[in-house]
Amino acid sequence: MERKPTEVRQEEIKKALLEIVDTEGLHNLSTRKLAEKVGVTEGALFRHFKSKREMILSIVDGVEEVLMKSLQTVAMSDASSKDRLFRFLCVHVSYLIENKGITMLLFSEAAHSNDSELKSRMLNVLNTQKQLAKKIIQDGIAGGEWDSSLQVENVATLYMGIPISLNIELVLNPLGVNTENFCKKMICLLERALMKSK
Amino acid sequence: MERKPTEVRQEEIKKALLEIVDTEGLHNLSTRKLAEKVGVTEGALFRHFKSKREMILSIVDGVEEVLMKSLQTVAMSDASSKDRLFRFLCVHVSYLIENKGITMLLFSEAAHSNDSELKSRMLNVLNTQKQLAKKIIQDGIAGGEWDSSLQVENVATLYMGIPISLNIELVLNPLGVNTENFCKKMICLLERALMKSK
DNA sequence: TAGCTTAGCAAGTAATCACTTACAAAGCAA
DNA sequence: TTGCTTTGTAAGTGATTACTTGCTAAGCTA
């Protein structure tokens, strides 16, 4: 019976929760499994969070504070659009790899949560990602780096599929997807689509 | 108390199941809700399928028979690669729109099902989609339509994100995504990435 | 060391899950 | 009309869910 301060346990619980969502899916996330993974009883979980919902909301807090702030910083930096887009994707992808359950949690809660607060926060995260990508693309077109006949919206839509392509890739080919290579390959293709014709 | 032949009820059940998965998510799919949606009691469901699992397997049968056969036909046709890729995406996307729960069902069961038969069939569907896309791309490169420096695998990976981009799009912007426009826009971008440089 | 707060456990709770049982009646074939 | 199969219902089943309760003891502060 090991005692730890609540801040430490909260982090352990959030980490274990994401691991379960990643390896077994949201529909297999139960407080029983979670307690087992953390190494405490179910009762102990509720000493640190008042409900399962609060655990998930606390994870969303982290996404907003860490991922979204980083993406914002990259999108607003003064590097070239090409560089910004590459770094944007790298930050995005490496966060999703470090926090593997996030993609499924984000996507399935954004689409299907009964909880309207949770749902709208998830939607906001997805929407903000897309808006930031649009900003970079718009800048690149306005600055003459990319083709002016492109529709920003469509490029951003294509971009939004990439992090999930990675997820499909990890499912189809679990042995290994090299993060950096993945980003380089995808950016290389995106860049081809973006560059000026002729 | 309306009586219908089992074949009719089976179709009603599968349709209702996909509607629930689409609107409320897999984690909100219960036999109670399903029975309510079909308009019968829970017991009646089990007259037509021996388990919830069998209902889902029966849906997978349909995906294999309808979607995968259509995709195969398009991929193997003798049109130009450009045309085949466009028609491939259109068939793919319109099937997912007609059967809206399929994407989430496919994706989340492929990634996280406890049921190894179900899981491997879902993975096979995703993998076959990717292989067929690769065939079209490979043909286009070999036939001189597209740039020979492209890596087929990477283009197929990017392609696989498109149907899910559509799903994100439907979540972010539920009011309407025009199927045909969506396909045209995405193919237009893909085509830019694929065409020969200079 | 005394006392208080905190973090843990064991054993519950009601609600919900997929699924079953016993029985009724619809509808067709003889 | 008789009798059998099929499709339905109502009311269960045990298992599992998120969460609570009552109690214990660890560990800091005075």
Side-chain angles (χ1 to χ4, degrees), chain A residues 152-171:
Chain A
V152 178
E153 179 70 27
N154 301 341
V155 183
T157 297
L158 187 63
Y159 171 85
M160 289 297 286
I162 296 180
I164 315 222
S165 294
L166 172 67
N167 229 282
I168 299 181
E169 211 52 30
L170 288 167
V171 168

Side-chain angles (χ1 to χ4, degrees), chain B residues 2-4 6 9 41 47-48:
Chain B
E2 196 184 356
R3 288 168 59 101
K4 296 184 182 176
T6 195
R9 281 289 189 218
T41 58
R47 185 71 69 187
H48 304 294

Side-chain angles (χ1 to χ4, degrees), chain B residues 73-90:
Chain B
T73 302
V74 172
M76 299 305 175
S77 83
D78 54 4
S80 70
S81 290
K82 183 177 175 173
D83 283 356
R84 276 191 284 159
L85 191 60
F86 178 60
R87 287 179 48 217
F88 192 82
L89 181 62
C90 287

Side-chain angles (χ1 to χ4, degrees), chain B residues 39-90:
Chain B
V40 295
T41 58
E42 282 186 70
L45 296 181
F46 293 93
R47 185 71 69 187
H48 304 294
F49 289 100
K50 70 181 197 191
S51 67
K52 188 177 160 182
R53 175 178 185 266
E54 294 292 323
M55 300 173 194
I56 293 174
L57 282 172
S58 173
I59 289 173
V60 182
D61 288 342
V63 173
E64 286 166 346
E65 273 166 37
V66 178
L67 174 63
M68 298 316 287
K69 277 193 182 162
S70 303
L71 289 178
Q72 176 108 14
T73 302
V74 172
M76 299 305 175
S77 83
D78 54 4
S80 70
S81 290
K82 183 177 175 173
D83 283 356
R84 276 191 284 159
L85 191 60
F86 178 60
R87 287 179 48 217
F88 192 82
L89 181 62
C90 287

Side-chain angles (χ1 to χ4, degrees), chain B:
Chain B
M1 172 173 160
E2 196 184 356
R3 288 168 59 101
K4 296 184 182 176
T6 195
E7 296 78 16
V8 173
R9 281 289 189 218
Q10 282 171 345
E11 291 308 313
E12 289 181 5
I13 292 168
K14 288 191 278 181
K15 191 179 167 218
L17 191 154
L18 283 178
E19 272 175 41
I20 293 171
V21 172
D22 176 49
T23 57
E24 309 186 56
L26 189 58
H27 63 283
N28 284 314
L29 172 68
S30 64
T31 50
R32 179 199 272 222
K33 257 188 193 152
L34 188 53
E36 201 177 301
K37 188 142 211 155
V38 174
V40 295
T41 58
E42 282 186 70
L45 296 181
F46 293 93
R47 185 71 69 187
H48 304 294
F49 289 100
K50 70 181 197 191
S51 67
K52 188 177 160 182
R53 175 178 185 266
E54 294 292 323
M55 300 173 194
I56 293 174
L57 282 172
S58 173
I59 289 173
V60 182
D61 288 342
V63 173
E64 286 166 346
E65 273 166 37
V66 178
L67 174 63
M68 298 316 287
K69 277 193 182 162
S70 303
L71 289 178
Q72 176 108 14
T73 302
V74 172
M76 299 305 175
S77 83
D78 54 4
S80 70
S81 290
K82 183 177 175 173
D83 283 356
R84 276 191 284 159
L85 191 60
F86 178 60
R87 287 179 48 217
F88 192 82
L89 181 62
C90 287
V91 166
H92 199 168
V93 160
S94 56
Y95 186 86
L96 296 181
I97 297 234
E98 288 294 308
N99 304 272
K100 281 215 183 97
I102 292 277
T103 309
M104 279 309 291
L105 191 64
L106 246 180
F107 192 49
S108 85
E109 291 288 327
H112 303 304
S113 180
N114 309 326
D115 182 323
S116 63
E117 185 200 336
L118 185 54
K119 182 168 179 160
S120 78
R121 287 181 66 184
M122 295 291 195
L123 279 174
N124 184 258
V125 166
L126 286 179
N127 209 35
T128 303
Q129 287 173 5
K130 188 169 180 181
Q131 294 307 318
L132 290 172
K134 280 170 79 170
K135 161 100 173 91
I136 297 174
I137 296 154
Q138 182 61 61
D139 289 353
I141 291 171
E145 274 182 73
W146 291 324
D147 197 301
S148 59
S149 72
L150 289 163
Q151 285 185 275
V152 179
E153 179 69 28
N154 301 342
V155 182
T157 297
L158 186 64
Y159 172 84
M160 289 298 286
I162 297 180
I164 315 223
S165 293
L166 173 67
N167 230 284
I168 298 180
E169 212 51 31
L170 288 167
V171 168
L172 290 178
N173 176 23
L175 286 180
V177 175
N178 181 306
T179 310
E180 203 185 347
N181 275 354
F182 178 83
C183 292
K184 276 188 185 152
K185 289 167 177 176
M186 291 300 113
I187 280 293
C188 172
L189 282 171
L190 265 188
E191 179 70 25
R192 288 179 63 97
L194 285 162
M195 70 186 183
K196 295 181 174 181
S197 315
K198 277 189 262 164

